[in-house]
């Protein structure tokens, strides 16, 4: 097949394609005539390949062409725009590497075109007048990154911190005076005005080197566990302050790392040194939409894996911070503030639910109020701000820009990749999803942040066959609104991979009998096997001897739970071999306020009736007790069952990690992160959510094999556990993220001029574009889009909730109240 060929990055499609077309001129003329025969249209990769094969009659010629260079180009084309007589190709030969060409269907002439020119071709299909308007809004963030170094190899994508470390090592070793920025950075270190590491008596690099030498010789003569307090005075005589370590040995190591950096900078010592620098004590985390800080909310609309992720993330970062600060020899209590919006027990109160798609009009005021409160609680600026999802990332960007604080962002899921062609068809979807606001906010946050935390390589750059979430934001257009000639470049060193884990006190292997929560088994037994329908479950399992395939997720289109039910209903062999249990959403559409969930609830009921699944399916409403859910995974493992994650796209897949932690063989979508977590056929199985027949057959084949060879189930279960222990722990995650905060904190000081220029560009874009777009999003109680913007004083802020996690992980809830919210009739909400 064409995918067997390789293509060097130095090659140019525009230069190589003409010769290839000439060698197969007759066949390719027929092919291109087929492409243009139906007039203007957008062709996806599969359609391009089908048309190519249909244009060739001779089997030998067909194989030769398809497996040759031309076949490889077309196979690597993600889409093509047909504007007779031209066909414009968007060719992706490798992850992150795109080239655009247009071919004349009559004479087969080839011309390389820019991303902007390709997008104008595409726009012609949807809004020709706008496409031809020279004054249409075009944004090119890449034009502001010309002096920023970028990675070059697809295999290096996501290793931003290592690249930054290499670049800083190179830059600092250029000239003797090049170390001055590092000295200035160290001189600025303080905690609430108290100097750390060095004081103002060290005003040159030579003085610093001398002090390091004297101190290192001194501590080398001390017993390695000598407390810092015993020699603090000597350090101060040399201009060194606390922060080097809590013992003589620890201080010696840190001193040595910096000495090596000053003498001959290298990336390894650079990373080691910055992992020791006391720069992060207070962290602010934004997670705005959904429910947070309340009991029994997991599984409710907009409240799923992201909330679990943040709770575990905060716990792991707190543990790592406490350890680091102790080892730095400091007596400082760190704080991690998690900010969300207050929805106190929303059901049964007058508080209004606001979907994540409708929250944009409130975010600017939210950022202003939150900023004031944070400064008050922390008695100063935070050291690191981390945003989550579009709303949290935008607010983090606004606050970071205002306070001058290092920022990290986490997408969790980028909606543009969930809905095919949602950029060019944004008008059709905007009333429901407000993608005009969301995609604009995503672009602002991605380009403002210092670093981006991702869970997998696939999230950034996808696979050989399919672009990643972020990569699909490289060049795109929203006809009639905005064209992004360069949105975000995945070769930017801000991208980093830090895979989360699962709480192993909750999700542990089913084989650890002494830890099993047997007291919960009667509840789980009732949940799975009782015959009566209740408010918590419907359907029943007539044959308890069968293994169970199990899925747990929010009930929305992308999670594709209804897709799994349909696969099961259509496959007799699967139905004969296993029972199906799904934990998802609510059971009654009248109880939901989320429009997408309502559609999926109704679809679930229709599928159960259509395929007569009663007796083979148990549908359980969303379960919010993580401890019981952990035992539920293990209980399913006791039946020798499996976990199925059928999402159309999944950025990471926390439930996949949870299931594998419990030793449950797992089938998970090949679209996104799970494809990277699971080694297909070894530690689990990939399934194609677009091909239900193939997916259900794969599940059936597994259980048939287990029936014939029971040891096969154990083999896959053991391999799943091994994969988790080797790659996915929260300790590794926290170490990486805090190192990013320290490293990028220094990195941002090295390119101030370019950063300021880009920030002004982003600020203009925010003020002139985003602020106008949010006027089209109705506030709670409004039926029609707003035609005028609310005044700054009239904007209504959502209430905010702060979870403060200081030492011993004590939790403090504080309501952030802005002006008194108006009533529903005044279009406000609480």
């Amino acid at each position: 097949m064409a995918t067997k060929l390789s293509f060097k990055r130095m090659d140019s499609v525009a230069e190589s394609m003409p010769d290839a077309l000439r060698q197969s001129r007759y066949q390719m003329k027929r092919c291109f005539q087929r492409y243009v025969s139906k007039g203007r249209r957008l062709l996806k990769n599969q359609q391009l390949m089908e048309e190519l094969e249909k244009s060739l009659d001779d089997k030998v010629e067909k194989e030769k062409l398809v497996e040759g260079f031309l076949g490889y180009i077309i196979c690597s084309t993600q889409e093509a725009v047909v504007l007779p007589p031209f066909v414009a190709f968007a060719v992706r030969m490798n992850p992150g590497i795109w080239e655009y060409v247009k071919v004349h269907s009559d004479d087969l002439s080839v011309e390389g075109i820019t991303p902007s020119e390709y997008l104008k071709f595409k726009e012609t299909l949807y809004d020709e007048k706008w496409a031809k308007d020279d004054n249409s809004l075009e944004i090119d963030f890449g034009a502001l990154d010309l002096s920023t170094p970028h990675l070059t190899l697809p295999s290096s994508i996501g290793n931003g911190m290592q690249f930054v470390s290499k670049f800083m090592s190179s830059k600092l070793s250029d000239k003797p005076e090049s170390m001055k920025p590092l000295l200035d950075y160290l001189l600025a270190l303080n905690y609430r005005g108290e100097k750390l590491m060095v004081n103002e008596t060290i005003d040159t690099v030579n003085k610093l080197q001398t002090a390091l030498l004297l101190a290192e010789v001194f501590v080398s003569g001390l017993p390695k566990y000598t407390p810092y307090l015993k020699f603090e005075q000597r350090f101060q005589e040399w201009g060194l302050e606390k922060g080097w370590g809590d013992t003589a040995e620890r201080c010696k190591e840190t001193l040595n790392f910096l000495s090596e950096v000053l003498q001959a900078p290298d990336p390894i010592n650079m990373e080691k040194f910055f992992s020791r620098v006391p720069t992060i004590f207070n962290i602010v985390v934004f997670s705005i939409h959904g429910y947070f800080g309340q009991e029994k909310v997991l599984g409710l609309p907009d409240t799923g894996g992201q909330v679990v992720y943040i709770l575990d993330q905060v716990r792991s970062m707190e543990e790592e911070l406490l350890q680091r600060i102790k080892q730095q020899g400091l007596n400082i209590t760190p704080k991690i503030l998690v900010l969300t919006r207050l929805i106190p027990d929303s059901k049964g109160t007058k508080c209004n639910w606001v979907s994540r798609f409708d929250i944009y009009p409130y975010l600017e005021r939210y950022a202003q109020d939150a900023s004031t409160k944070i400064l008050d609680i922390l008695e100063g600026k935070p050291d690191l701000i981390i945003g989550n999802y579009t709303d949290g990332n935008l607010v983090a960007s606004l606050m970071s820009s205002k306070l001058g604080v290092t920022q990290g962002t986490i997408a969790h899921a980028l909606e543009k990749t969930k809905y095919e062609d949602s950029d060019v068809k944004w008008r059709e979807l905007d009333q429901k999803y407000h993608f005009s606001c969301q995609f604009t906010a995503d672009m602002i946050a991605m380009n403002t942040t210092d670093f981006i935390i991702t869970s997998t390589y696939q999230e950034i750059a996808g696979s050989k066959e399919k672009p990643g979430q972020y990569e699909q934001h490289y060049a795109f257009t929203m006809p009639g609104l905005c064209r992004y000639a360069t949105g975000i470049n995945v070769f930017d060193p801000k991208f980093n991979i830090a895979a989360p884990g699962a709480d192993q006190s909750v999700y542990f292997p089913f084989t650890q009998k002494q830890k099993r929560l047997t007291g919960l088994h009667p509840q789980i037994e009732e949940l799975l096997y009782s015959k009566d329908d209740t408010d918590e479950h419907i359907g029943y399992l007539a044959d308890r001897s069968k293994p169970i395939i199990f899925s747990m997720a929010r009930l929305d289109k992308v999670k594709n739970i209804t897709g799994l039910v349909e696969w099961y209903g259509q496959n007799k062999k699967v139905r004969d071999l296993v029972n199906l249990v799904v934990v998802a959403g609510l059971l009654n559409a009248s109880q939901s306020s989320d429009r997408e969930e309502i559609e999926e609830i109704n679809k679930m009921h229709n599928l159960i009736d259509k395929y007569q699944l009663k007796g083979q399916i148990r549908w359980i409403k969303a379960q919010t007790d993580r401890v019981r859910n952990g035992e539920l995974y293990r209980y399913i493992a006791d039946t020798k069952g499996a976990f199925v994650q059928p999402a159309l796209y999944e950025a990471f897949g926390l439930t996949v990690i949870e299931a594998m932690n419990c030793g449950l063989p797992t089938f998970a979508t090949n679209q996104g992160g799970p494809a990277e977590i699971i080694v297909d056929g070894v530690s689990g199985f990939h399934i194609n959510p677009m091909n239900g027949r193939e997916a259900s057959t794969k599940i059936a084949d597994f259980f048939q094999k287990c029936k014939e060879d029971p040891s096969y189930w154990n083999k896959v279960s053991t391999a799943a556990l091994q994969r988790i222990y080797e790659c996915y722990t929260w300790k590794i995650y926290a170490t990486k993220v805090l190192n990013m905060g320290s490293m990028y904190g220094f990195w941002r000081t090295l390119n101030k001029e370019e950063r300021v220029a880009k920030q002004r560009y982003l600020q203009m874009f925010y003020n002139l574009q985003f602020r106008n777009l949010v006027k089209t999003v109705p506030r709670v109680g409004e039926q029609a889009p707003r035609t005028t913007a609310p005044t700054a004083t009239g904007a209504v802020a959502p209430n905010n909730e702060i979870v403060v996690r200081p030492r011993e992980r004590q939790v403090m809830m504080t309501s952030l109240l802005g002006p008194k919210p108006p009533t529903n009739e005044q279009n406000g909400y609480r």
Side-chain angles (χ1 to χ4, degrees):
M1 292 297 293
T3 52
K4 293 180 182 178
L5 298 178
S6 62
F7 190 81
K8 297 178 182 178
R9 187 167 182 180
M10 68 183 70
D11 296 333
S12 163
V13 174
E15 292 172 353
S16 306
M17 199 172 179
D19 285 340
L21 287 170
R22 278 193 291 271
Q23 291 172 18
S24 305
R25 187 172 182 82
Y26 172 72
Q27 295 92 335
M28 293 312 298
K29 285 224 30 165
R30 290 185 62 185
C31 176
F32 274 85
Q33 287 305 315
R34 288 189 67 93
Y35 286 158
V36 301
S37 63
K38 296 181 181 178
R40 295 181 173 187
R41 54 178 174 154
L42 182 68
L43 294 174
K44 300 296 184 179
N45 177 265
Q46 185 176 347
Q47 295 169 289
L48 288 165
M49 293 302 294
E50 287 173 356
E51 295 283 14
L52 173 63
E53 294 187 5
K54 287 177 182 178
S55 66
L56 305 172
D57 299 324
D58 185 270
K59 185 177 180 181
V60 175
E61 284 292 327
K62 181 186 296 186
E63 289 181 357
K64 181 180 177 182
L65 191 62
V66 170
E67 293 182 5
F69 180 70
L70 283 173
Y72 184 59
I73 290 177
I74 295 175
C75 183
S76 301
T77 298
Q78 294 298 311
E79 64 179 25
V81 179
V82 180
L83 292 179
F86 292 104
V87 182
F89 294 84
V91 186
R92 178 182 179 267
M93 308 305 277
N94 282 295
I97 300 173
W98 294 78
E99 188 170 349
Y100 303 90
V101 297
K102 68 176 181 179
V103 180
H104 196 293
S105 60
D106 293 333
D107 59 15
L108 299 186
S109 58
V110 182
E111 179 185 347
I113 57 177
T114 65
S116 176
E117 289 169 333
Y118 173 79
L119 293 175
K120 290 177 182 178
F121 258 78
K122 191 173 180 179
E123 292 157 5
T124 303
L125 301 177
Y126 302 92
D127 190 337
E128 184 170 3
K129 182 179 179 181
W130 191 81
K132 292 182 177 180
D133 186 348
D134 291 336
N135 295 312
S136 296
L137 178 60
E138 178 170 310
I139 299 297
D140 188 356
F141 290 117
L144 296 166
D145 290 330
L146 296 178
S147 64
T148 300
H150 283 68
L151 295 89
T152 56
L153 299 175
S155 59
S156 299
I157 291 171
N159 294 318
M161 187 166 62
Q162 292 91 322
F163 179 83
V164 165
S165 180
K166 290 178 183 177
F167 181 79
M168 290 196 305
S169 298
S170 173
K171 189 165 184 176
L172 294 177
S173 63
D174 277 349
K175 304 171 186 175
E177 63 271 20
S178 61
M179 285 293 177
K180 186 67 165 55
L182 179 57
L183 175 60
D184 292 340
Y185 177 76
L186 294 174
L187 283 168
L189 292 178
N190 73 90
Y191 179 74
R192 295 184 178 176
E194 188 176 6
K195 285 285 187 179
L196 298 175
M197 297 198 83
V198 299
N199 60 42
E200 60 278 354
T201 62
I202 298 179
D203 54 6
T204 68
V205 174
N206 285 336
K207 287 182 180 180
L208 176 59
Q209 288 177 311
T210 301
L212 295 176
L213 178 62
L214 292 170
E216 191 172 349
V217 171
F218 174 76
V219 294
S220 296
L222 297 175
K224 61 182 182 179
Y225 295 119
T226 304
Y228 173 77
L229 289 175
K230 295 285 187 179
F231 52 87
E232 180 179 14
Q233 187 174 350
R234 291 297 299 272
F235 265 44
Q236 288 177 336
E237 291 172 4
W238 296 317
L240 304 178
E241 300 291 342
K242 58 188 175 181
W244 294 93
D246 59 338
T247 65
E249 182 182 39
R250 189 82 179 173
C251 287
K252 180 183 176 182
E253 292 172 354
T254 309
L255 290 162
N256 181 257
F257 293 152
L258 181 54
S259 293
E260 291 291 337
V261 167
L262 294 175
Q263 187 172 331
D266 70 275
I268 294 176
N269 279 311
M270 186 73 73
E271 286 190 49
K272 286 180 179 178
F273 174 67
F274 276 98
S275 71
R276 298 286 185 93
V277 177
T279 57
I280 299 176
F281 307 104
N282 297 321
I283 301 174
V284 169
V285 178
F286 283 103
S287 180
I288 299 173
H289 70 263
Y291 297 81
F292 200 99
Q294 301 172 60
E295 294 183 354
K296 299 181 180 180
V297 295
L298 289 178
L300 294 178
D302 293 349
T303 312
Q306 177 176 319
V307 172
V308 176
Y309 177 108
I310 293 167
L311 290 171
D312 288 341
Q313 171 204 50
V314 166
R315 187 182 298 111
S316 65
M317 288 197 302
E318 176 199 46
E319 291 171 357
E320 181 67 17
L321 270 179
L322 288 169
Q323 182 182 20
R324 286 189 178 204
I325 291 171
K326 177 182 178 299
Q327 291 176 337
Q328 288 160 352
L330 302 174
N331 184 25
I332 295 172
T333 300
K335 289 183 180 178
I336 301 179
L337 308 185
V338 181
L339 276 83
T340 186
R341 101 179 173 276
L342 183 62
I343 318 174
D345 303 321
S346 183
K347 294 180 181 182
T349 75
K350 294 181 180 179
C351 297
N352 289 302
W353 168 254
V354 179
S355 164
R356 69 186 189 276
F357 296 118
D358 302 329
I359 202 168
Y360 301 104
Y362 308 97
L363 295 181
E364 184 172 317
R365 183 59 180 270
Y366 179 100
Q368 294 168 358
D369 290 351
S371 178
T372 302
K373 193 69 176 180
I374 287 167
L375 293 174
D376 179 48
I377 291 175
L378 297 180
E379 300 178 20
K381 298 178 183 180
D383 305 302
L384 177 63
I385 298 173
I386 298 176
N388 292 275
Y389 193 70
T390 302
D391 48 8
N393 287 335
L394 181 68
V395 171
S397 298
L398 294 174
M399 188 172 295
S400 170
S401 298
K402 178 181 179 180
L403 301 180
V405 174
T406 305
Q407 176 193 354
T409 59
I410 308 170
H412 294 282
L414 291 165
E415 300 293 340
K416 179 178 174 297
T417 61
K418 291 183 179 181
Y419 302 84
E420 189 173 25
D421 295 329
S422 55
D423 47 3
V424 290
K425 297 179 180 177
W426 68 275
R427 281 193 180 97
E428 300 172 22
L429 301 165
D430 214 47
Q431 186 172 0
K432 184 176 182 180
Y433 295 114
H434 308 299
F435 284 155
S436 59
C437 287
Q438 181 149 27
F439 299 170
T440 303
D442 284 332
M443 285 292 92
I444 291 170
M446 287 180 204
N447 283 280
T448 301
T449 190
D450 295 292
F451 61 93
I452 296 172
I453 304 168
T454 66
S455 299
T456 64
Y457 179 94
Q458 289 221 3
E459 186 180 345
I460 309 170
S463 62
K464 176 68 176 175
E465 294 76 27
K466 183 177 180 179
Q469 276 198 77
Y470 283 97
E471 188 182 356
Q472 291 183 53
H473 292 76
Y474 169 59
F476 68 98
T477 185
M478 303 174 74
L481 183 65
C482 181
R483 176 188 310 120
Y484 293 94
T486 309
I488 189 70
N489 187 340
V490 295
F491 289 97
D492 193 303
K494 67 175 60 182
F495 283 100
N496 289 273
I497 299 169
D503 186 343
Q504 293 181 337
S505 68
V506 174
Y507 304 102
F508 55 85
F510 75 102
T511 53
Q512 295 183 6
K513 301 296 183 182
Q514 74 282 3
K515 293 177 65 176
R516 292 289 298 271
L517 308 176
T518 53
L520 296 175
H521 285 193
Q523 297 176 33
I524 294 174
E525 177 89 5
E526 193 281 332
L527 200 64
L528 293 175
Y529 293 116
S530 68
K531 292 292 180 76
D532 299 327
D533 288 352
T534 69
D535 291 338
E536 193 169 22
H537 51 70
I538 62 174
Y540 65 95
L541 306 179
D543 186 353
R544 291 187 52 166
S545 67
K546 291 182 183 179
I548 291 173
I549 57 172
F550 169 58
S551 192
M552 179 161 55
R554 293 193 313 274
L555 194 56
D556 61 30
K557 291 178 181 178
V558 175
K559 293 299 183 184
N560 199 32
I561 292 294
T562 52
L564 172 61
V565 173
E566 188 151 29
W567 303 347
Y568 181 80
Q570 293 174 343
N571 192 312
K572 184 179 184 302
K573 187 176 181 181
V574 172
R575 293 174 67 168
D576 289 342
L577 286 168
V578 295
N579 290 317
L580 174 62
V581 172
V582 295
V583 176
L586 297 168
L587 309 181
N588 190 329
S590 65
Q591 296 175 341
S592 177
S593 60
D594 185 87
R595 48 185 174 254
E596 195 167 294
E597 185 182 42
I598 290 169
E599 293 176 16
E600 293 298 292
I601 291 171
N602 291 329
K603 187 175 180 180
M604 280 284 285
H605 285 288
N606 292 336
L607 289 170
I608 291 171
D609 293 339
K610 178 180 178 179
Y611 294 106
Q612 299 179 346
L613 296 179
K614 290 289 180 68
Q616 294 180 303
I617 189 173
R618 174 72 115 195
W619 177 14
I620 304 168
K621 79 173 186 179
Q623 299 295 299
T624 58
D625 187 335
R626 292 180 72 198
V627 173
R628 191 170 77 169
N629 286 346
E631 191 60 27
L632 179 58
Y633 281 118
R634 291 183 286 273
Y635 200 96
I636 301 295
D638 290 336
T639 75
K640 300 299 179 184
F643 183 75
V644 182
Q645 207 274 30
L648 300 178
Y649 184 86
E650 185 65 56
F652 180 62
L654 278 175
T655 53
V656 172
I657 294 291
E658 292 168 359
M660 292 172 70
N661 257 292
C662 295
L664 197 55
T666 299
F667 293 79
T669 178
N670 62 4
Q671 303 298 307
E676 203 165 313
I677 296 170
I678 291 173
V679 179
D680 188 33
V682 179
S683 54
F685 304 91
H686 298 163
I687 53 175
N688 182 356
M690 306 300 180
N691 191 334
R693 184 187 300 273
E694 177 187 271
S696 61
T697 299
K698 199 168 189 177
I699 294 169
D701 290 346
F702 169 76
F703 282 102
Q704 183 62 42
K705 188 169 182 178
C706 291
K707 193 173 183 180
E708 296 166 0
D709 177 12
S711 68
Y712 183 61
W713 190 95
N714 293 326
K715 181 180 178 181
V716 176
S717 172
T718 301
L721 287 166
Q722 183 178 354
R723 177 72 173 165
I724 290 297
Y725 297 150
E726 289 175 354
C727 304
Y728 300 96
T729 71
W730 280 109
K731 169 67 176 173
I732 296 171
Y733 173 94
T735 300
K736 285 184 177 180
V737 170
L738 293 180
N739 286 352
M740 289 176 211
S742 182
M743 184 76 76
Y744 284 93
F746 178 55
W747 170 252
R748 61 185 277 133
T749 68
L750 297 181
N751 57 347
K752 284 183 179 178
E753 294 79 9
E754 183 176 289
R755 183 178 182 82
V756 168
K758 188 169 186 178
Q759 197 58 47
R760 288 175 176 170
Y761 188 79
L762 284 160
Q763 187 176 20
M764 179 178 65
F765 186 52
Y766 174 86
N767 288 329
L768 299 180
Q769 184 79 342
F770 182 78
R771 274 182 148 185
N772 283 325
L773 290 173
V774 298
K775 299 173 190 175
T776 68
V777 182
R779 293 172 180 263
V780 171
E782 291 180 344
Q783 298 301 317
R786 299 179 65 91
T787 55
T788 58
T791 63
T793 54
V796 180
N799 295 330
N800 308 321
E801 183 178 277
I802 289 186
V803 182
V804 181
R805 293 184 174 272
R807 199 179 183 96
E808 287 97 27
R809 286 201 295 272
Q810 295 177 353
V811 177
M812 180 180 76
M813 298 274 190
T814 305
S815 175
L816 284 185
L817 300 176
K820 183 178 179 180
T823 62
N824 289 344
E825 289 75 16
Q826 294 172 296
N827 303 327
Y829 83 99
R830 287 186 293 153

